[in-house]
Amino acid sequence: MEARIAELEERLERTGGQKEDASPNFTLEKKDIGMAAATGSSNPAAPAHGEIGDKLPVVKTKVADVKPFLDENGWQEGGSKGHGFDRKKFHGGVTLKQDAFFGFQTILDAGYEITDNIDFTFYSWLWTSPNFGRSRVVAGPDGMQVDAGGNGLWTEVGMGLNFRFFDDALSINPQIGVLNGALLSSRIVGRGIRAAEGVVPNITINYDDDYFTGQGYFAYYAAIRDERARDFIHNWVSLGVKPALFNLKNFPVNSVGVHWEHLRFHVDRIDGAPGTLYNWIGPYVELALPMHLALRFAAGADLKGEVANEFYQASIKMHF
């Protein structure tokens, strides 16, 4: 063993510590030879550490420097190569919303970047007002009456493409949704609970820069099954300014502005009496909260005035 070590040390001195046939990225060091002597392997078939170096160069890349292909949740890290999703390309949010007409709603909207300026988008909008669900006739103190239940509630899902312009300040997002429930397809609301009772072509336009923000939304709710009783149009426009426009700093407000929203009973195939259900307009304020949260509140007048003379709408959104 000592003679073998002496021979290897002589070779190291002659080559300056560099293997003659190794690439510049690999080295054979004296301390590796000393380790072979210290371990004193008793297996006669196993070569000393220096003899392994004669066949395979020592890789000096640290284990900690090797990036994992997937993270602990199974998502592919940004920049990794493979067939998994890159979580850094996802964006979107979950919104909890309530207003004077529709009641409580939960909305998920998400997008995945497929090119530099185009996202694949998808969403789910859960409407929870029992007035849009299955109803039944029950006996009450004043005789027989309609009792709106919680079955067959509006459940909307959809997908589309989001096109981004001007360094992402402007985005145009056309989508097509599918409406499931018991509102559009029957003469009597709630008489039948159906999957895909309607389709919802819709478009959302967003603008957001350092000083101004705005959103426009338009959706057509078209009945496509059975009696095809009714169609709706739902649209709104919000325009706001940001504190930076007034040189305000350390001010926990995202924007303030005006909100207009409109809902129209557009086609009535039963009685032939379409018309506007509400026509809201009023101010809004959106507050910034920690952990990517935003609180938005709007209130004002209902220009139609049949549902109520005033309206209110609050939402909490968590961005991811």
Side-chain angles (χ1 to χ4, degrees), residues 219-299:
Y220 191 94
Y221 287 77
I224 60 173
R225 292 194 58 188
D226 298 294
E227 296 171 343
R228 299 180 60 241
R230 51 191 67 83
D231 296 353
F232 291 90
I233 290 176
H234 188 201
N235 57 299
W236 68 72
V237 175
S238 291
L239 299 172
V241 296
K242 296 185 176 182
L245 182 65
F246 308 102
N247 201 29
L248 295 175
K249 299 178 180 179
N250 298 321
F251 196 57
V253 173
N254 284 338
S255 66
V256 294
V258 62
H259 177 78
W260 171 76
E261 185 170 336
H262 172 253
L263 178 67
R264 176 177 172 79
F265 185 13
H266 189 62
V267 176
D268 181 358
R269 299 181 179 90
I270 308 304
D271 300 322
T276 295
L277 295 173
Y278 67 72
N279 192 12
W280 295 342
I281 189 167
Y284 83 86
V285 59
E286 183 173 304
L287 304 174
L289 298 172
M291 299 180 66
H292 307 289
L293 291 172
L295 169 64
R296 181 186 176 102
F297 181 74

Side-chain angles (χ1 to χ4, degrees), residues 3 20 77 89 96 108 129 135 152-153 184 188 227 234 263 289:
E20 297 173 357
E77 294 285 356
K89 293 185 178 182
L96 305 179
L108 165 70
S129 172
S135 59
L153 298 178
L184 302 183
I188 299 175
E227 296 171 343
H234 188 201
L263 178 67
L289 298 172

Side-chain angles (χ1 to χ4, degrees), residues 8-305:
L8 291 173
E9 287 179 344
E10 182 180 352
R11 182 184 303 177
L12 285 171
E13 291 175 358
R14 187 171 61 251
T15 61
Q18 180 74 33
K19 271 190 60 62
E20 297 173 357
D21 57 346
S23 67
N25 294 327
F26 305 106
T27 60
L28 180 65
E29 298 178 356
K30 275 189 175 182
K31 62 180 181 181
D32 298 325
I33 301 173
M35 187 179 296
T39 54
S41 174
S42 59
N43 184 0
H49 191 76
E51 294 175 325
I52 296 176
D54 290 342
K55 297 179 176 60
L56 294 175
V58 178
V59 180
K60 302 201 72 175
T61 303
K62 297 180 180 179
V63 174
D65 292 335
V66 180
K67 293 183 178 179
F69 178 72
L70 299 177
D71 68 5
E72 65 278 6
N73 296 317
W75 290 102
Q76 180 180 331
E77 294 285 356
S80 297
K81 303 297 182 182
H83 301 291
F85 292 112
D86 184 345
R87 63 179 180 179
K88 294 181 180 179
K89 293 185 178 182
F90 274 104
H91 60 84
V94 177
T95 302
L96 305 179
K97 184 178 181 181
Q98 185 159 291
D99 63 42
F101 182 85
F102 287 109
F104 183 71
Q105 308 144 60
T106 301
I107 306 165
L108 165 70
D109 63 277
Y112 185 80
E113 181 181 333
I114 55 177
T115 70
D116 289 341
N117 296 302
I118 302 177
D119 305 320
F120 170 72
T121 60
F122 52 96
Y123 72 93
S124 174
W125 197 332
L126 309 181
W127 310 80
T128 63
S129 172
N131 290 328
F132 305 142
R134 169 179 257 170
S135 59
R136 55 183 178 167
V137 178
V138 297
D142 298 323
M144 302 302 290
Q145 62 188 34
V146 175
D147 174 34
N151 297 331
L153 298 178
W154 255 6
T155 302
E156 181 182 344
V157 294
M159 63 184 66
L161 295 174
N162 184 46
F163 302 90
R164 293 178 274 114
F165 306 92
F166 308 121
D167 294 328
D168 298 343
L170 174 66
S171 66
I172 301 176
N173 183 198
Q175 299 185 103
I176 184 72
V178 176
L179 194 65
N180 311 273
L183 179 64
L184 302 183
S185 52
S186 299
R187 295 174 62 92
I188 299 175
V189 175
R191 184 168 61 187
I193 298 175
R194 298 175 178 89
E197 69 160 2
V199 294
V200 192
N202 62 87
I203 186 170
T204 305
I205 301 174
N206 287 294
Y207 183 83
D208 189 80
D209 62 20
D210 293 337
Y211 304 108
F212 301 98
T213 184
Q215 183 180 77
Y217 173 80
F218 179 89
Y220 191 94
Y221 287 77
I224 60 173
R225 292 194 58 188
D226 298 294
E227 296 171 343
R228 299 180 60 241
R230 51 191 67 83
D231 296 353
F232 291 90
I233 290 176
H234 188 201
N235 57 299
W236 68 72
V237 175
S238 291
L239 299 172
V241 296
K242 296 185 176 182
L245 182 65
F246 308 102
N247 201 29
L248 295 175
K249 299 178 180 179
N250 298 321
F251 196 57
V253 173
N254 284 338
S255 66
V256 294
V258 62
H259 177 78
W260 171 76
E261 185 170 336
H262 172 253
L263 178 67
R264 176 177 172 79
F265 185 13
H266 189 62
V267 176
D268 181 358
R269 299 181 179 90
I270 308 304
D271 300 322
T276 295
L277 295 173
Y278 67 72
N279 192 12
W280 295 342
I281 189 167
Y284 83 86
V285 59
E286 183 173 304
L287 304 174
L289 298 172
M291 299 180 66
H292 307 289
L293 291 172
L295 169 64
R296 181 186 176 102
F297 181 74
D302 183 352
L303 302 180
K304 177 68 175 178

